[in-house]
Amino acid sequence: MIFDIFLLQQVINGLSIGFVYALMAIGFTLIFGVLNVVNFAHGEVYTIGAFIGLMVITALAPPLVAVVPLVLAAGALSGVGLERLAFRPFRRFTDEASQKSRAMREATLLSSLAVSIIAREIMMHLFGGDMQGVPSDYLLQRPVAIGPIMVATGSLVIFATSAVMLGALQFLLYRTQTGLGIRAVSNNQLGARYVGIDTDRTIVTTFAVGSMLGATAGILVGLYDGAISPHMGFAPGVKAFVAMVMGGLSSIPGAVACALLLGVSESIATEFLSSGWKDLITYSLLVITLVFFPQGIFGHGRERA
Amino acid sequence: MDVNVPDARILPSSTALPASATAWRGRQIFWTVVLLAVVFGAVPAAITATGSSYLAQIAITAMIFVILSASLNHITGTAGLLSIGHAAFYGIGAYAAALLSTKLGLPFIVTLPAAGLIAAFVGFLVAMPTMRLVSIYFAVATLGIGEMIYVILLNWVDLTRGPMGIRGIPPIELFGWQANTLLSRYMAVAVIAVVCVWVLHRLTHSYYGNALRALREDDQCADSMGIDVVRLKVEAFVVSTFFAGVAGALLSHTSAYIAPDNFRFMESILILAMVVVGGMGSLPGAVVGALFMIVLPEALRDIGDYRMIAVGATMFLSILLLPKGMLAEGASLAFVRRAFARGWTTMSGGTPVGWK
Amino acid sequence: MTDANTILSIDGLTRRFGGLLAVSDVTATIKQGELVGLIGPNGAGKTTLFNLITGFTPPSSGTVRFAGRDVTGLKPWQIARMGMGRTFQNLRVFPNMTVFDNVSVGAVGSFGQSPWRALFNGGAQSRAVSARSWEALERVGLADVAGEIAANLSYGKRKYLEIARALATAPRLLILDEPAAGLNDTETAELADFIRRLHAEGVTVLLVEHDMGLVMNSCSRVIVLASGRKIADGTPEQVQRDPAVLEAYLGVEDDAA
Ligand SMILES: Nc1ncnc2c1ncn2[C@@H]1O[C@H](COP(=O)(O)OP(=O)(O)O)[C@@H](O)[C@H]1O
Ligand SMILES: [Mg+2]
């Protein structure tokens, strides 16, 4: 019985990690959907979210609920800037050879990587390479008893925020004109342009939305862990990327499900393995998934001839 | 005796294609001599003249990365399988060489090929299940496998000493001759790098290379031309990981110390950046890209802490301004055909075509 | 059936996609030296039959024999190497390779490739590949653009490039999937001439077409497919008079491609 409760606790911890991955994975998926390109700078958006949140907290000491909108705004802004800088310039190559050229595709991928290096280095300069502590008033580590189990306030805040954001995203995608645009461009960019959708604007919006989710994930984890550093975005970025691919690249529910799966299995794995080995679980899951589901679990088959 | 016989509709293959003209032969010798003179003449001369160990160190690093970049170009640029875990195979080679020489006392002449073969064997094991993956799925699989290998290097403390790394790896030594000075170390590494690049050059600039490029362009279509797609992809991956392993052995034996952090994800990305900045699919580009990305940060040392920003910015600008790389594939292939007399000339005087 | 001259024979070939019978119990043979047309309205199952023959799609049932061997279930490259050359309905040249290199891939495929040969003794084979590729380019009249990047060719020229690439495999049977799609009337007529000339030079051709005209004017024998079934097989005159064919094409005679 003791064991079961313990396991349950780990599952809950894992779910909160999983939701963080999920928030990031959705950003990846949305952006991959409209552009067919991986955004390597997504992890930096997460870091920016955390630092902006921290700056706001130390400068203004506002109530926690007021931090979130500011982080959202910062996320949206960095998403728009990222798109302008790293992605838009490459859309000028529209001839057939360029479109089919792998060199071109990989160039776009690396442009976001280059921007992410620049962003990370600038943050190193501004904030230093070390961990920054979070003022203890804002730490989300207080345990709350729910029946027999103890849950950190951070987990609860992550659950609540994720629920709100997923709901809002669902509303945006399926109930608004903007969402219709995003879905249309994801489906078929050329077709969407023919029916009069402003694809450039849709792409920018997608970056803004995806980055808002990523930045929020960053500040939540920062407050939960109590430490913020310029390198913090790397690991969750890779995990979220993995979740997106396992989910089949273009499926948001798939990405969320796989992100939760990764979070929970990591959290349970720490019970059996020393923490150094826990990442092995994530990557083994990834490789096994790809061997058995070459298009991800929720992906589509490849068309022939 | 030229290829293009305008009115003969069907050329019997025995008479069709001439040996290259002497002019081409001359040009081949010219370019070969220039390249060898730079690698074995100018660079060592500069190292000797300045007596700078710093310069020698950069030259050695640059040569190692030339091998890494050229080998990644083989699988990612030529065969079109985007690998973002190349550093892991570099790491396997480095650890293989380090352990074989420190634990078993094996000489360099054994550890060098062994490092390549072990990395290639792991590459083979990785390739078998992942080769049917397409596009980004393959890339992510290599990412996952690369990170798995990193986690193993970091945590299998009994074998790898974990984050402490391995120290005291003996320097390059051949039948009693030891590369004790930095200059001799550079020379040894340069010889091996030249051999590696030469092998990749023969593979890339041939009809075999054309088959690899066909996989990249459209593997289903190549399949229906009689190309054994899976076998070719596995071969390309194995060749590429073999050379990554060789590069790892060189790192071990020239730096005496290795640690898992030398082989992380960012290192894979750095190698990929070399290939992209140089020009995907272009072997000369991969070489130039490696030199550029190694020399640039060093050239920018004066701006101190800002140099990584400058590296990122340079990478960004070069991708933005030259998205096909400094030496784009098409131009590079044409250059190699002409400068190294690898192609067939046509009577109409147009660009050389095909491969010898 | 087992005539020594038979190059391709398919027997009871069937392919289901879920509940849909895309190809249903098709039996046919092609003899060496023939120029056979395979026609049928859009959605008749021509491309599917094509993919069954070339090994791209496994059949639900039935067999394919090619050059005296049962090739059912073999990989496309194995069948291709036995001498089956093909083109694609929607052009699939290798866009970033030169015209010559495109064609050479067909020749490399049929000669076989190995890294050892590229390293140590490629001379003789490279010579053979080069000669074969050059010959194929001259046959389709693209020798003067051999050094161009394929993506820069016009649509019509890329069609011929695809044919040259298939010819470079030295095919014992050449299968063309809707080669006239996207061409105007003049270009189609030129293509018909070209195909007849290839046939006269001894190439066995299976011409899969949607457009009746091209096939009726060039082929000595025509197989008609409708809703996945073979409904006619005979000379153009016989087929044109066949009531089943008329019915299948009724009202779809002049639809746009
Ligand atoms: N991969 C597939 N999955 C499901 N249905 C298919 C597939 N390929 C073809 N079909 C169906 O099979 C039928 C025959 O198609 P196809 O062979 O392309 O015809 P054609 O080439 O004669 O126009 C069509 O109804 C088509 O929708
Ligand atoms: Mg069709």
Side-chain angles (χ1 to χ4, degrees), chain C residues 17 20 22 40-49 89 178:
Chain C
F17 288 115
L20 178 84
N42 254 330
K46 302 181 298 291
T47 298
T48 307
L49 181 59
Q89 177 173 345
E178 307 213 6

Side-chain angles (χ1 to χ4, degrees), chain A residues 38 40 85 89-90 92-93 102-104 106-107 110-111 113-115 118 121-122 125 234 238 241 245 248-249 276-277 279-280 283-284 286-287 290-291 294-296 302-305, chain B residues 76 80 82 84 129 132-134 136-137 140-141 143-145 147-148 151-152 155-156 216 219-220 264-266 269 272-273 276 280 305-306 308-309 312-313 315-316 319-320 323-324:
Chain A
V38 179
F40 259 114
L85 203 59
F90 291 91
R92 69 198 149 100
F93 301 99
R102 205 164 288 253
M104 287 293 311
E106 257 67 289
L110 282 182
S111 75
L113 185 80
V115 169
I118 298 170
E121 291 296 323
I122 290 177
H125 272 276
F234 177 75
V238 173
F241 180 41
V245 173
L249 287 182
W277 288 104
D279 283 350
L280 206 56
Y283 300 116
S284 313
L286 165 74
V287 173
L290 288 179
V291 168
Q295 311 278 324
R302 182 189 187 195
E303 85 266 18
R304 284 237 145 215
Chain B
T76 296
L82 177 60
I84 46 182
R132 62 199 184 106
L133 299 178
V134 294
I136 194 77
Y137 293 101
V140 178
L143 164 80
I145 287 159
E147 289 293 290
M148 281 165 90
V151 171
I152 292 170
N155 290 287
W156 191 357
R216 171 193 71 194
D219 57 352
Q220 290 178 349
R264 279 218 81 168
F265 177 70
M266 278 313 288
I269 294 300
L272 181 61
V276 172
M280 276 265 183
D305 288 347
Y306 291 94
M308 275 313 290
I309 298 179
M315 198 169 128
F316 178 73
I319 295 165
L320 182 68
K324 291 190 177 175

Side-chain angles (χ1 to χ4, degrees), chain C residues 17 27 31-32 35 38 55 69 74 129 136 152 202 216:
Chain C
F17 288 115
T27 298
K31 292 200 182 60
Q32 212 130 35
L35 170 49
L38 174 67
R69 273 180 58 192
L74 291 190
V129 168
N152 298 341
M216 292 301 173

